[in-house]
Amino acid sequence: MGYPVMFQIEDIYYPALAAVGVPVNLVAIVILSRGKCGLSKCISRYLVGMAVADLLVVITDPILTRVGLSYFPNSFLFITPVCRPIMFLGYAATVVSVWLTVAFTFDRFVAICCENLKTKYCTEKMAAVVIGTVSVLGCLESVPWYFIYQPYLIIDNVPRHCIFKLNFRTSPVWAAFELFHLILTPCVPFFLILLLNVMTVRRILVASQVRRGLRGRSNGENHKDPEMENRKKSIILLFSISGSFILLWVTQVVNNIYRRISDTRYYNSYTDPRFITQATSGMLQLLSSCTNTCIYVLTQAKFREELKNAVKYPLNLIVKLVKS
């Protein structure tokens, strides 16, 4: 039996994902931190927080774990005392990334649907508090993963690699924790984001009809509504980020639910459709850590302008150095 096709795909996919994921998230962090994209400070805070979490996901999972295992299996990264914290950080970064997406969606829901709460909640200070709280809670929730792993083998008294402890699949305590983790991330966030977007769309449709009716009677149908125009950027950004998250995580959510219902723990072969679905869902999930910058480029004109300036700056510097 040759090298499984799915593994061949992963050997190409994950290095490519790492090569793209690190620079795009770094670019997003730098540009959004400058605050020149025409977005409120509150929104910018959330987007920077999400970009940092996504960057950590890319570093800990595709780079340190999957690429490292494929190309540097005997490196220090896979000494058990090193790979255990890497595993923990990977879980923690994923939890934080997912729940910051929920927090951002909720913030935009409040801004659009809750006028009385908007002035108190949708602020830069509150965004910082929410990001900090989500980060701390995400790390605390992921701490048990650090203790789930044990060495796969010991070479010259050095424990190497990380595998689940023998009682992980049999202990009711670990089973309860795994179920709790799967419900918390990604099932609850997935359905929360879906629900919040449905409620936001409903509110937008109702408000748009009312405002069009009022402005139509007073100013004529051809006049633009400045308030709705100002909201447009925020709404497009919200739906783009939320929609991308839902599309890229739906396979993972459905697969997790199926595995729990069917009690699937092992696969017949590497060509088993269930194994292929599991591998594909992981690939799509990690892709979600690289898409937000593309969304900003497509939906935010000022972000595109800042990106162009960032690209032009070193080129202009080189030209000046050559001329001098």
Side-chain angles (χ1 to χ4, degrees):
M1 182 178 178
Y3 194 52
V5 174
M6 204 67 215
F7 289 169
Q8 295 178 41
I9 294 172
E10 288 180 343
D11 287 348
I12 298 172
Y13 177 80
Y14 287 118
L17 187 69
V20 173
V22 171
V24 298
N25 281 301
L26 283 174
V27 166
I29 292 168
V30 172
I31 292 178
L32 292 169
S33 298
R34 288 165 57 85
K36 297 182 179 181
C37 295
L39 300 169
S40 69
K41 292 182 178 180
C42 174
I43 293 177
S44 295
R45 281 271 189 175
Y46 280 113
L47 298 186
V48 170
M50 290 160 61
V52 171
D54 287 343
L55 178 61
L56 290 175
V57 171
V58 173
I59 291 172
T60 55
D61 200 329
I63 296 177
L64 296 182
T65 303
R66 300 177 190 269
V67 175
L69 186 60
S70 296
Y71 295 96
F72 311 101
N74 297 316
S75 72
F76 76 96
L77 294 173
F78 298 99
I79 297 173
T80 305
V82 176
C83 68
R84 284 173 69 182
I86 289 175
M87 293 293 186
F88 156 72
L89 288 172
Y91 284 110
T94 301
V95 172
V96 172
S97 174
V98 169
W99 279 97
L100 283 182
T101 305
V102 176
F104 171 70
T105 306
F106 181 74
D107 177 87
R108 293 302 86 200
F109 167 77
V110 171
I112 295 169
C113 303
C114 308
E115 291 294 333
N116 295 331
L117 187 58
K118 176 182 176 180
T119 54
K120 294 181 179 180
Y121 185 81
C122 301
T123 64
E124 184 181 12
K125 183 178 179 180
M126 181 58 72
V129 170
V130 171
I131 292 168
T133 303
V134 169
S135 300
V136 171
L137 292 178
C139 290
L140 290 176
E141 189 275 338
S142 301
V143 166
W145 289 109
Y146 180 87
F147 300 99
I148 283 175
Y149 293 97
Q150 67 178 18
Y152 175 66
L153 72 168
I154 297 176
I155 302 175
D156 296 330
N157 293 323
V158 178
R160 299 194 63 85
H161 296 283
C162 292
I163 60 169
F164 289 131
K165 290 182 177 179
L166 296 176
N167 67 343
F168 176 68
R169 298 299 183 188
T170 58
S171 168
V173 175
W174 285 128
F177 169 71
E178 184 185 27
L179 180 61
F180 170 75
H181 179 79
L182 290 175
I183 291 173
L184 189 68
T185 308
C187 293
V188 171
F190 182 86
F191 291 109
L192 273 178
I193 290 173
L194 202 57
L195 176 63
L196 289 170
N197 276 290
V198 169
M199 294 171 68
T200 303
V201 168
R202 181 184 175 187
R203 171 71 176 182
I204 291 170
L205 292 175
V206 172
S208 297
Q209 289 175 355
V210 172
R211 291 184 67 84
R212 276 200 301 266
L214 292 173
R215 290 182 65 81
R217 285 196 296 269
S218 60
N219 299 328
E221 294 292 341
N222 294 326
H223 289 269
K224 289 185 177 180
D225 186 343
E227 183 174 337
M228 293 305 295
E229 288 294 320
N230 289 335
R231 284 187 176 185
K232 188 175 179 180
K233 289 182 192 176
S234 176
I235 293 168
I236 291 174
L237 185 62
L238 167 65
F239 290 160
S240 299
I241 292 174
S242 300
S244 171
F245 176 87
I246 290 170
L247 288 173
L248 294 175
W249 276 85
V250 65
T251 309
Q252 185 75 284
V253 172
V254 173
N255 183 60
N256 284 339
I257 294 173
Y258 170 78
R259 286 197 305 114
R260 299 304 304 186
I261 293 174
S262 64
D263 195 28
T264 300
R265 299 185 183 184
Y266 306 100
Y267 303 106
N268 297 326
S269 69
Y270 293 126
T271 58
D272 188 328
R274 293 172 299 176
F275 171 76
I276 294 173
T277 302
Q278 172 82 4
T280 303
S281 65
M283 293 165 70
L284 292 174
Q285 171 203 322
L286 289 172
L287 179 61
S288 69
S289 300
C290 307
T291 55
N292 283 352
T293 302
C294 299
I295 290 172
Y296 306 151
V297 170
L298 293 173
T299 62
Q300 305 296 308
K302 289 188 177 181
F303 185 92
R304 289 196 297 273
E305 189 61 32
E306 287 294 304
L307 182 59
K308 288 178 183 177
N309 292 337
V311 173
K312 288 178 181 177
Y313 179 77
L315 297 177
N316 292 336
L317 192 61
I318 292 172
V319 171
K320 287 180 181 180
L321 290 174
V322 171
K323 288 182 178 180
S324 61

